[in-house]
Amino acid sequence: MSAIPSVDLQDFVSGNPERKEKFIKEIGSAFENIGFVALSGHFLSDELVENLYSEIKKFFDLPQETKDKYEIEGIGGQRGYTSFGKEHAKGRKEGDLKEFWHFGQYVEDNPQLEEEYPDNVMVSELPEFNKVGKETYQMLEKTAQYVLRALALHLDLEETYFDAYIKNGNSILRPIHYPPITSEPKNAVRAAAHGDINLITLLMGAHGRGLQVQNHEGEWVDAIARPDQLMINVGDMLSRLSNNKLKSTIHQVVNPPKELWGTSRYSIPFFMHPISEMPLNCLDNCIDEQNPKQFEDITAGEFLHERLIELGLIKG
């Protein structure tokens, strides 16, 4: 497959059985064949998107010492600011050429999870920053819920199979700033080749060249969405659950050509995570003689912990 397929979420929520079935087939086929899809018809308004970009640009433009006070020790970067070059891809030593912020879950009716998750970090210099972040988080979470409902049906599960696992899930909204490149990077790229940890990722800001996806033939394909689209991909958790029927695809963000080194790039992924107790054991209906079970049983929480150690975000 040499291009990223496009789908429209409004087909799924239209109330029309034929359109709903069309969406399930299209997204199921895309996720089996390349693991990525460009999605329109989501729940983000143009105004919300504009406001979010405006707020995150203001944040990353703050003086470094101001940003540094929002880098919270001891929580593995789960909330607040992570400074430039801190994170690296699994198996690499070079830090990625990026700085980022994390918004986390806004827990409802669950004191135990409120206790478990770190608090969101409030930016006192920007009165709208946290409000806009929260609204974006909740609209992306709602979009992800419907995408997972379609995937549940594709996998012959109950439509609402994922709902209880993602309510109050450990999802993360990560505005990323790739600053201008000032000198020849030594082996470092904006984001080295990696697969995502979570169930699915919804990416805002894949509008220019940079994001590349590796297809099953090992070729790198440019993944460019229209301004009204989100790029959505399968993460390792969903790949494990479906016994690799749905593919978690390796992707990277390459450095721009030299004439564009002086420009910043912003992208905003939403990493949809379930609650820690969700079992990621391969589904029985994804295992047969042709496709024997490929993964050991594990919970989402155990799997996440293993991967954060590999990424260098927490100590083993």
Side-chain angles (χ1 to χ4, degrees):
M1 188 172 273
S2 60
I4 307 298
S6 290
V7 295
D8 184 351
L9 187 60
Q10 290 306 307
D11 285 337
F12 187 74
V13 298
S14 64
N16 176 316
E18 286 83 17
R19 286 180 65 189
K20 185 173 181 177
E21 192 53 44
K22 172 177 175 274
F23 181 85
I24 295 164
K25 277 206 175 74
E26 286 173 348
I27 200 164
S29 162
F31 281 175
E32 287 189 24
N33 289 312
I34 198 164
F36 267 74
V37 77
L39 178 120
S40 57
H42 49 73
F43 297 107
L44 295 174
S45 68
D46 292 346
E47 185 188 10
L48 180 57
V49 171
E50 213 173 288
N51 290 347
L52 183 69
Y53 275 107
S54 165
E55 289 301 314
I56 67 165
K57 284 174 183 172
K58 284 183 211 163
F59 176 79
F60 289 120
D61 284 345
L62 290 170
Q64 191 60 46
E65 60 271 22
T66 306
K67 291 187 287 191
D68 286 344
K69 73 181 186 184
Y70 294 112
E71 189 153 21
I72 313 297
E73 284 300 310
I75 58 167
Q78 291 177 77
R79 302 289 185 273
Y81 177 62
T82 295
S83 51
F84 185 81
K86 274 273 173 75
E87 187 180 63
H88 59 79
K90 179 180 171 181
R92 281 181 74 109
K93 290 194 172 61
E94 298 83 17
D96 290 342
L97 305 177
K98 66 188 182 195
E99 55 179 347
F100 55 88
W101 180 271
H102 274 164
F103 296 100
Q105 184 60 264
Y106 302 87
V107 177
E108 292 174 354
D109 318 321
N110 192 322
Q112 188 187 335
L113 279 181
E114 259 181 275
E115 198 64 30
E116 186 184 315
Y117 296 156
D119 292 335
N120 275 301
V121 178
M122 307 304 284
V123 177
S124 55
E125 291 80 1
L126 302 172
E128 292 298 301
F129 180 82
N130 291 89
K131 179 168 156 282
V132 171
K134 180 178 182 178
E135 193 180 340
T136 307
Y137 184 105
Q138 291 176 332
M139 289 299 105
L140 286 167
E141 188 172 48
K142 182 179 175 183
T143 301
Q145 179 181 33
Y146 283 97
V147 170
L148 286 170
R149 285 180 178 180
L151 294 176
L153 292 169
H154 177 69
L155 294 169
D156 297 322
L157 301 167
E158 284 288 325
E159 182 171 337
T160 55
Y161 175 86
F162 290 100
D163 282 20
Y165 293 127
I166 61 174
K167 182 177 167 55
N168 291 326
N170 198 12
S171 300
I172 291 284
L173 176 63
R174 172 190 278 191
I176 303 172
H177 175 222
Y178 302 101
I181 296 170
T182 51
S183 59
E184 188 71 52
K186 289 185 174 56
N187 295 328
V189 292
R190 283 182 156 177
H194 64 285
D196 291 341
I197 302 170
N198 41 294
L199 289 169
I200 55 174
T201 300
L202 287 71
L203 177 68
M204 302 169 64
H207 306 151
R209 286 185 183 275
L211 177 65
Q212 295 184 331
V213 175
Q214 195 171 42
N215 68 16
H216 298 341
E217 287 73 52
E219 302 157 338
W220 288 102
V221 176
D222 283 326
I224 302 173
R226 300 194 312 256
D228 67 324
Q229 290 178 319
L230 300 171
M231 197 62 80
I232 303 191
N233 64 278
V234 176
D236 292 346
M237 289 184 182
L238 189 56
S239 181
R240 285 184 83 102
L241 186 75
S242 67
N243 197 32
N244 210 27
K245 180 175 178 162
L246 305 180
K247 303 287 189 292
S248 175
T249 307
I250 298 295
H251 51 286
Q252 63 184 5
V253 180
V254 294
N255 298 333
K258 206 158 188 173
E259 63 271 18
L260 294 177
W261 275 14
T263 58
S264 280
R265 177 188 170 103
Y266 297 90
S267 74
I268 310 170
F270 177 77
F271 299 112
M272 171 56 101
H273 280 268
I275 53 174
S276 297
E277 297 77 31
M278 180 180 182
L280 299 179
N281 311 347
C282 299
L283 295 164
D284 290 342
N285 52 357
C286 294
I287 300 169
D288 56 33
E289 277 181 29
Q290 283 74 44
N291 303 287
K293 184 177 176 181
Q294 295 183 40
F295 303 102
E296 295 296 311
D297 292 353
I298 197 168
T299 66
E302 289 162 347
F303 183 64
L304 175 62
H305 185 75
E306 275 180 17
R307 289 295 299 275
L308 289 178
I309 291 171
E310 287 168 353
L311 293 176
L313 286 175
I314 60 174
K315 299 274 185 283

